[in-house]
Amino acid sequence: MLVMCRGRRKFVVASFALIFIPALTWLYLSSANFTVKPLPLSPLDPQSSVLIGAVAEHQDLKLGLRDVEEHNHALRREISLLPRVPTHSSHHSKSRQGNQLHTHSTEEGTGDSEAKKGAASGNSSDCVPQPVVNKCESIHIAIVCAGYNASRDVVTLVKSVLFHRRNPLHFHFITDSIARKILADLFHTWMVPAVHINFYDADELKSEVSWIPNKHYSGIYGLMKLVLTKTLPSDLQKVIVLDTDITFATDIAELWAVFHKFKGQQVLGLVENQSDWYLGNLWKNHRPWPALGRGFNTGVILLLLDRLRKLKWEQMWRLTAERELMSMLSTSLADQDIFNAVIKQNPFLVHQLPCFWNVQLSDHTRSEKCYKDVSDLKVIHWNSPKKLRVKNKHVEFFRNLYLTFLEYDGNLLRRELFGCPSETDHNSENLQKTLSELDEDDPCYEFRRERFTVHRTHVYFLHYEYEPALDNTDVTLVAQLSMDRLQMLEAICKHWEGPISLALYLSDAEAQQFLRYAQGSEVLMSRSNVGYHIVYKEGQFYPVNLLRNVAMGQVNTPYMFLSDIDFLPMYGLYEYLRKSVVQLDMGNTKKALVVPAFETLRYRLSFPKSKAELLSQLDMGTLFTFRYHVWTKGHAPTDFAKWRTATTPYRVQWEADFEPYVMVRRESPEYDRRFVGFGWNKVAHIMELDAQEYEFVVLPNAYMIHMPHAPSFDITKFRSNKQYRVCLKTLKEEFQQNMSRRYGFAALKYMTVDNNS
């Protein structure tokens, strides 16, 4: 505002300059054009009268010029004495001073005159400082989010808000059970300071709106913004309501500050609809719900909850909906139709927002009128079913802006808000206390720290749908992978028809590459029983056992087959394991069923379809027992010689460094997180199974084959870095000591065996 006020003083000065400088110039040039003739020798000369007149006129012009100059000096002195407006610098005003923000809007009167001026010019015309949001004031945001896809979308929205924000945030999520689980895990592991989360069960709200027929693709969840006054806490006075397909390009506090502009009975802050939908001229016989002019878009709403409750909002929208449905039969745009019908009858409820607060990118919008420059953009709304494929003059720019947040490293948004008191997060406090107790001078500090690192986790990144078999024999394949093993997914899906739980260690950008890969794969998209759980990259080690634990934690079958991504299970292993559950009475005994592991050095292998065929390839040298030449101890207790002729399951004893691939009950112990990267990660887990008195039973007709691939980065570090190997040895010894303390006398054997990696 200061810039605008200063601008007016400059305008006054400039106006005087524009008026007087040309006048002065004209006067000067005019005086210079007079030709001074020689004085006559006689007063009777006929030219003497003309000369006298010219001289007199010249004197008059000089006097006039002097008067103008004196007047101009007086005006300058007067302007210099005008009172100055206190300085309130802001990025917003600077952008206007730089002639970057020239916003246009075609909104027409539903709010008061000030709101109309704001919609037309993007700001108030008064030289009064705008109300600011206290830096520690919490901003409340409500979002309806249901399902797997919406959960992904809302993460990008939240990233864009977090990126610009300078205030504490309080999100209110109205979710189904799926989205609640996904978002609860995500925010718990994200650990963003000064962000609070509340969840509200959308299933409990369905009865409030299920009576309204709705043709919109959002379904019943597209109507739930109507019941926010009833859903949100009664002491919450105001809230910003957002669709999941929103991207912020500015600090949300600027939008929160607009509440101060509400006057009279205004309770809704909305942007005018930027398409002709409510004008009814999009196609022949198009009959929209009633709306005021072009109507309003509900992708961004400012709700004054306390005033809405006093106005009996619940009763107001219900009566309106019932009346209109008698002729309209159903809604086409979900809650937006009902909001507009209410506003049509009660226009005084609306404070019209400038259109840059909801730049709508659907095919039939006129959003280009909301902006001329990048600085104009505040909120971008992908309100078309086509989303990023929508037709728009500047869609490439908007798409790139969206992709910036989509692929932005969310770990960088864990920024502290300095100077604001905040409630203590016990998880964060305990973590900081634990980390502070670690010795940073310890050569193995980074290894020890990794055990306590909280990795941001997005479970069920893609749609998942599977109900376990009712006979309590169902089993899920569990594995983990990084981007360089992605090509194994299709092959595993072809070999294993049962449910799969996968933990993927990816960056934000890699997660989007994976999404495109999966959505472009007919094999993967044909499977709804594969759960993909993203663990976002952080730190310098591959957290292999954390990934396994994440995948295990999402298993919903009674049993799980603990595998690795570079192994292909034999065809039919899923059904074979289910039959073994019954045969070996897994429900009443503690058993770990061992699936013998083999390997090939060939990238193209005629995969054996039976044990007999596998034995033939073993004899021909096409296949080998797994790691027979570099790590025999890892699978030696499986007793491959006995397996060749075995027809019934047989029990084997635990030995040092034993690390078979096993099927166990879902309640079996987790992997120890201290082991990262390469070395002893499976060995420690098998040791703990043995300590808990699991029996190791080898299945005579089961097998899996390791497929060749380039060495991982972690095994390269293990082989080349002496300190890596030293630290691994230290961690092994500490683990063995912990086992001895936990399991007592029975665990002494783990201390005495010679465990050399």
Side-chain angles (χ1 to χ4, degrees), residues 462 490 513-525:
L462 295 178
E490 288 190 349
Q513 294 177 39
F514 159 70
L515 178 63
R516 291 190 290 271
Y517 168 79
Q519 291 177 336
S521 167
E522 293 183 9
V523 173
L524 301 187
M525 284 298 96

Side-chain angles (χ1 to χ4, degrees), residues 313-493:
W313 169 253
E314 285 283 319
Q315 183 179 357
M316 187 183 297
W317 74 258
R318 283 177 179 274
L319 291 174
T320 302
E322 288 171 358
R323 181 181 66 248
E324 298 300 333
L325 283 170
M326 293 178 67
S327 59
M328 298 302 299
L329 304 181
S330 67
T331 61
S332 296
L333 300 182
D335 65 273
Q336 186 167 296
D337 285 338
I338 297 174
F339 269 100
N340 276 288
V342 173
I343 292 168
K344 174 76 172 178
Q345 298 297 319
N346 308 278
F348 56 86
L349 297 176
V350 178
H351 177 90
Q352 186 170 332
L353 301 175
C355 69
F356 52 63
W357 284 118
N358 187 349
V359 178
Q360 301 150 37
L361 299 182
S362 58
D363 283 341
H364 303 288
T365 58
R366 301 177 181 178
S367 57
E368 293 91 345
K369 295 189 176 183
C370 291
Y371 57 87
K372 278 191 174 181
D373 201 274
V374 175
S375 60
D376 299 349
L377 299 170
K378 303 292 185 184
V379 173
I380 299 160
H381 186 187
W382 301 90
N383 63 322
S384 165
K386 298 179 182 179
K387 300 307 176 189
L388 299 188
R389 299 188 305 276
V390 70
K391 296 177 182 178
N392 180 277
K393 183 178 180 181
H394 302 113
V395 69
E396 195 63 32
F397 171 82
F398 294 123
R399 189 184 293 120
N400 289 338
L401 181 64
Y402 174 82
L403 293 176
T404 297
F405 294 114
L406 186 72
E407 300 185 356
Y408 188 83
D409 184 352
N411 298 326
L412 301 178
L413 297 169
R414 292 169 169 165
R415 297 193 294 254
E416 294 280 350
L417 292 184
F418 299 112
C420 294
S422 60
E423 297 178 16
T424 303
D425 184 331
H426 295 295
N427 292 326
S428 179
E429 188 179 52
N430 293 337
L431 175 61
Q432 294 304 319
K433 181 181 178 182
T434 301
L435 293 177
S436 66
E437 293 172 353
L438 297 178
D439 181 7
E440 294 189 24
D441 295 327
D442 182 353
C444 301
Y445 170 77
E446 292 297 336
F447 283 86
R448 301 187 191 284
R449 179 185 174 87
E450 177 57 42
R451 182 181 179 184
F452 303 105
T453 299
V454 179
H455 287 265
R456 184 167 42 103
T457 304
H458 188 143
V459 298
Y460 298 106
F461 194 69
L462 295 178
H463 180 80
Y464 178 81
E465 189 174 349
Y466 183 74
E467 288 294 330
L470 297 176
D471 59 4
N472 289 322
T473 65
D474 218 342
V475 56
T476 299
L477 185 149
V478 172
Q480 43 72 38
L481 68 152
S482 54
M483 197 69 179
D484 58 340
R485 300 287 186 267
L486 207 58
Q487 71 278 4
M488 291 294 299
L489 292 182
E490 288 190 349
I492 288 178
C493 286

Side-chain angles (χ1 to χ4, degrees), residues 571-590:
Y571 292 110
L573 181 60
Y574 170 62
E575 288 298 334
Y576 180 43
L577 291 178
R578 290 184 61 181
K579 291 176 182 177
S580 299
V581 168
V582 178
Q583 181 184 359
L584 298 171
D585 193 23
M586 291 282 289
N588 299 309
T589 57
K590 294 176 72 173

Side-chain angles (χ1 to χ4, degrees), residues 182-194:
I182 294 171
L183 296 178
D185 285 352
L186 176 68
F187 281 100
H188 176 72
T189 54
W190 203 340
M191 298 180 69
V192 184

Side-chain angles (χ1 to χ4, degrees), residues 275-291:
S275 79
D276 291 343
W277 177 271
Y278 286 109
L279 299 180
N281 58 9
L282 291 183
W283 57 80
K284 188 177 180 181
N285 299 325
H286 172 50
R287 184 168 170 250
W289 275 54

Side-chain angles (χ1 to χ4, degrees), residues 143-146 150-151 153-157 242-247 299:
I143 302 171
V144 178
C145 178
S151 300
D153 293 339
V154 83
V155 174
T156 308
L157 161 60
L242 303 173
D243 280 354
T244 58
D245 51 4
I246 291 289
T247 305

Side-chain angles (χ1 to χ4, degrees), residues 21-40:
I21 289 176
L24 296 174
T25 304
W26 178 83
L27 289 169
Y28 174 78
L29 293 174
S30 298
S31 63
N33 285 334
F34 286 109
T35 303
V36 182
K37 298 181 179 181
L39 289 174

